[in-house]
Amino acid sequence: MTTTSDHPPSDSHASGRSDPETSGNADGIRKPEGATNLADTDYIIGQDNIETEAFGLRFDLHGKVFTISALVVLAFVFVMLSLQDHVEPLLNGVRNYLTGNLTWFFLLAGNVFLLLCIGLALSPLGRIRLGGPDARPDHGYLGWFSMLFAAGMGIGLVFYGVSEPMTHFAASLEGSAAAPLAGAPGDEQGAISLALASTIFHWTMHAWAAYSVVALALALFAYNKGLPLTIRSIFYPLIGDRIWGWPGHVVDILAVFSTLFGLATSLGYGASQATAGLHYLFGTPDNSLSMVLLVMTITGIALFSVLAGLDKGIQRLSMLNMGLALILLVFMISVGPTLTILTDYFRNLGAYVEHLPALSMPFGREDESFSQGWTAFYWAWWFSWTPFVGMFLARVSRGRTVREFLFSVLLVPTLVTALWMTAFGETAIYQQLITGFQGVQEAALEIKLFVMLDQLPLATLTSVVGIVLVIVFFVTSSDSGSLVIDSITAGGKVDAPTSQRVFWCLIEGAIAIALLLGGGLGGLQAAAISTGLPFTVVLLIACYAVVKGLMSEPRPASKRG
């Protein structure tokens, strides 16, 4: 179902592409550069779209995908806001059922994604270049790393940077039921290593492997095969032109829901932490109204970034994120237990590698409280983020080889995240061990970071930087998510009217507000797990599709095998 071409086809209708050098580029996706195996389809990107104008705004959207997604999401928001008293027990019940019964499935799927990525990177398929053998990267390494890191982790690093290592340390030292791998009772150094290894496990290679599966598949089928940059294209090797019908519609609608609720979880965490931080620092109200107002304000800021576009908006904000995060990280290493942080960084990476097989084991776990309460939630959250992060990574990774892409995306965030968690987590832990300060351990989850910073120099300034970092991560996540959802609901077009991205940006804020009011942090977790489950199945199928797609591509300096 593919045709090999040494040059881009002249007929844009046959390839689903138009010439990027012309002003009439209909889809915004450039042709492959060099010999690629184009998909043999007559589908034209956007051919099923509805193009119209209303109220002075232009719309170009896929009728079925956009309409069903928008109506269901709006109905969800209405129900959540109308039945707040009844929703929280329901959401908590859903979360507890899924984590209690399907933890093994999430862990097993995560292992599949990681092993696949490592295998592809080491295989001859790793030499294939996304966009064709003559393509070159659209972004330099600094801008590329900044965008992928801000999109892939964002608010969570600030929210959990102190709270998760501290929580695992306390549980491990006590040997409680919530401890990872039964803990290290009475062994302070053992408890620290286990706590940091568990935290690094949750935030590094497994998460990025899931993102990479979607990103690699989307980039391959869009840039090398000439298909739309939308989730349904991943399934072309399996069902061919049927992806343009209802099977494809269902996949794209699932991707929209998964992206919206995964993002809403992150935005809700960010709003709760920023509100709690402002209350801790300046005594502002810490209640639902404050969180709603904050979400509305930051969503409004995100709209300006949406209007600015990818290069001027998201890339600049992502680099601002990285700059602020670097300043805060360097400060923490400088004023915290510097020597301990630098030496334990490598020790913690070693502990992560040592405990990785046990932490990722899907069956026969004795630490069910930990694997169900922490790992299953994280894996479902990451999987629900895969359409969003995967498509965004695909958008900014054209021109990279498969090997360069996979090793960069797996290793760079892992090394940086491990340093972040070590610096923030161990500073809080050693405040307790050396000075006897119990404030961080006793503080609520949302303010552990600020309580820890309060014991260090320039406390108010660094706390404000932390809040600003949360807000900017909030903006970039909302902006990037709007870009991705708009592409899905516009039939794979990447240059659809800006008004559509504005709509989805507003919807993301509305969902975050609805979940915060209806179920609190438990409601956010339930939403992420519920949408992550069906998309995990999509991801597992995508693993086969991406291998099949890569094997059909010409491989430089390699025999087809």
Side-chain angles (χ1 to χ4, degrees):
M1 302 181 72
T2 56
T3 57
T4 302
S5 173
D6 291 327
H7 54 81
S10 59
D11 183 0
S12 64
H13 289 265
S15 68
R17 291 183 174 277
S18 56
D19 192 342
E21 300 301 322
T22 67
S23 59
N25 184 14
D27 53 53
I29 300 175
R30 281 177 287 167
K31 296 176 182 178
E33 300 177 46
T36 63
N37 232 4
L38 291 169
D40 184 15
T41 179
D42 293 328
Y43 186 83
I44 303 171
I45 296 177
Q47 72 176 34
D48 295 327
N49 283 17
I50 298 172
E51 297 187 47
T52 186
E53 289 190 18
F55 308 107
L57 300 174
R58 187 171 67 90
F59 295 94
D60 184 356
L61 45 87
H62 192 289
K64 294 182 177 66
V65 174
F66 180 90
T67 302
I68 294 174
S69 301
L71 289 178
V72 173
V73 167
L74 289 172
F76 173 84
V77 172
F78 175 78
V79 170
M80 290 288 291
L81 295 178
S82 302
L83 303 173
Q84 293 179 28
D85 295 337
H86 305 283
V87 168
E88 184 171 3
L90 176 63
L91 290 175
N92 288 332
V94 169
R95 180 194 60 191
N96 294 336
Y97 175 82
L98 292 177
T99 57
N101 292 276
L102 293 175
T103 295
W104 65 271
F105 177 67
F106 289 121
L107 266 67
L108 186 62
N111 294 341
V112 170
F113 304 146
L114 180 57
L115 291 174
L116 174 68
C117 289
I118 294 173
L120 289 176
L122 296 176
S123 76
L125 297 175
R127 287 191 288 267
I128 295 171
R129 188 173 294 274
L130 302 174
D134 299 330
R136 290 298 176 263
D138 295 335
H139 304 278
Y141 277 113
L142 180 59
W144 185 47
F145 287 146
S146 297
M147 286 190 286
L148 71 88
F149 196 78
M153 290 300 159
I155 292 169
L157 286 180
V158 185
F159 191 90
Y160 283 108
V162 171
S163 61
E164 184 171 354
M166 196 72 182
T167 301
H168 294 333
F169 167 72
S172 297
L173 192 60
E174 296 172 5
S176 72
L181 305 179
D187 179 1
E188 289 183 352
Q189 188 55 56
I192 292 173
S193 294
L194 189 55
L196 269 298
S198 302
T199 303
I200 294 170
F201 167 65
H202 286 151
W203 287 88
T204 54
M205 287 201 299
H206 276 81
W208 286 95
Y211 300 155
S212 298
V213 169
V214 174
L216 182 59
L218 286 171
L220 174 70
F221 290 109
Y223 302 141
N224 295 58
K225 306 294 187 185
L227 296 174
L229 188 65
T230 186
I231 304 298
R232 71 174 71 201
S233 296
I234 297 174
F235 294 88
Y236 188 83
L238 305 179
I239 60 176
D241 282 340
R242 282 180 293 171
I243 66 171
W244 315 126
W246 274 106
H249 301 343
V250 171
V251 169
D252 278 352
I253 291 168
L254 275 176
V256 171
F257 292 157
S258 184
T259 301
L260 282 172
F261 289 104
L263 271 172
T265 301
S266 184
L267 300 184
Y269 277 130
S272 65
Q273 185 176 36
T275 304
L278 290 170
H279 172 74
Y280 182 79
L281 292 174
F282 307 113
T284 58
D286 183 10
N287 51 36
S288 297
L289 177 61
S290 298
M291 283 190 283
V292 169
L293 291 175
L294 186 63
V295 171
M296 293 173 64
T297 300
I298 299 176
T299 300
I301 298 172
L303 291 178
F304 288 98
S305 179
V306 165
L307 295 172
L310 179 63
D311 289 330
K312 293 182 179 179
I314 297 176
Q315 182 169 228
R316 290 179 181 177
L317 282 173
S318 297
M319 295 183 75
L320 174 60
N321 270 338
M322 292 299 292
L324 289 174
L326 181 62
I327 290 171
L328 200 56
L329 178 61
V330 170
F331 172 82
M332 190 60 56
I333 295 173
S334 301
V335 303
T338 304
L339 183 60
T340 299
I341 290 172
L342 296 178
T343 54
D344 278 10
Y345 169 63
F346 298 99
R347 180 183 298 172
N348 293 334
L349 283 173
Y352 163 60
V353 173
E354 176 188 353
H355 294 298
L356 181 59
L359 289 169
S360 57
M361 178 62 62
F363 308 106
R365 298 290 291 265
E366 297 181 359
D367 56 349
E368 290 184 353
S369 179
F370 169 79
S371 61
Q372 294 176 7
W374 286 90
T375 307
F377 161 65
Y378 273 130
W379 270 215
W381 191 9
W382 303 148
F383 300 162
S384 72
W385 266 50
T386 53
F388 155 49
V389 181
M391 188 175 290
F392 185 75
L393 292 181
R395 287 284 300 268
V396 300
S397 299
R398 188 182 186 277
R400 307 285 176 185
T401 66
V402 170
R403 180 171 295 130
E404 177 188 19
F405 171 78
L406 289 175
F407 278 143
S408 296
V409 172
L410 287 178
L411 296 180
V412 173
T414 293
L415 296 175
V416 175
T417 300
L419 181 58
W420 180 280
M421 293 300 187
T422 297
F424 283 79
E426 292 208 1
T427 298
I429 290 171
Y430 278 95
Q431 282 181 354
Q432 177 178 326
L433 294 180
I434 296 175
T435 68
F437 178 66
Q438 299 290 326
V440 178
Q441 185 64 49
E442 297 170 356
L445 199 66
E446 298 88 349
I447 63 170
K448 285 184 183 292
L449 169 66
F450 306 109
V451 174
M452 184 268 288
L453 290 175
D454 200 31
Q455 303 300 304
L456 301 175
L458 304 175
T460 301
L461 177 61
T462 53
S463 295
V464 170
V465 171
I467 293 173
V468 171
L469 189 57
V470 169
I471 291 173
V472 179
F473 271 133
F474 194 139
V475 172
T476 52
S477 296
S478 179
D479 190 350
S480 305
S482 303
L483 190 75
V484 167
I485 296 170
D486 181 42
S487 180
I488 297 173
T489 57
K493 289 189 174 182
V494 298
D495 59 352
T498 304
S499 56
Q500 295 170 199
R501 295 209 304 276
V502 169
F503 171 79
W504 289 116
C505 184
L506 294 173
I507 288 295
E508 290 161 17
I511 293 176
I513 291 171
L515 288 170
L516 282 170
L517 294 178
L521 295 183
L524 296 170
Q525 292 182 356
I529 294 170
S530 299
T531 54
L533 176 61
F535 212 79
T536 304
V537 178
V538 173
L539 282 170
L540 289 169
I541 300 173
C543 289
Y544 172 75
V546 74
V547 172
K548 189 171 182 181
L550 284 170
M551 291 183 68
S552 72
E553 282 293 289
R555 277 166 267 167
S558 173
K559 295 181 179 180
R560 187 181 295 272

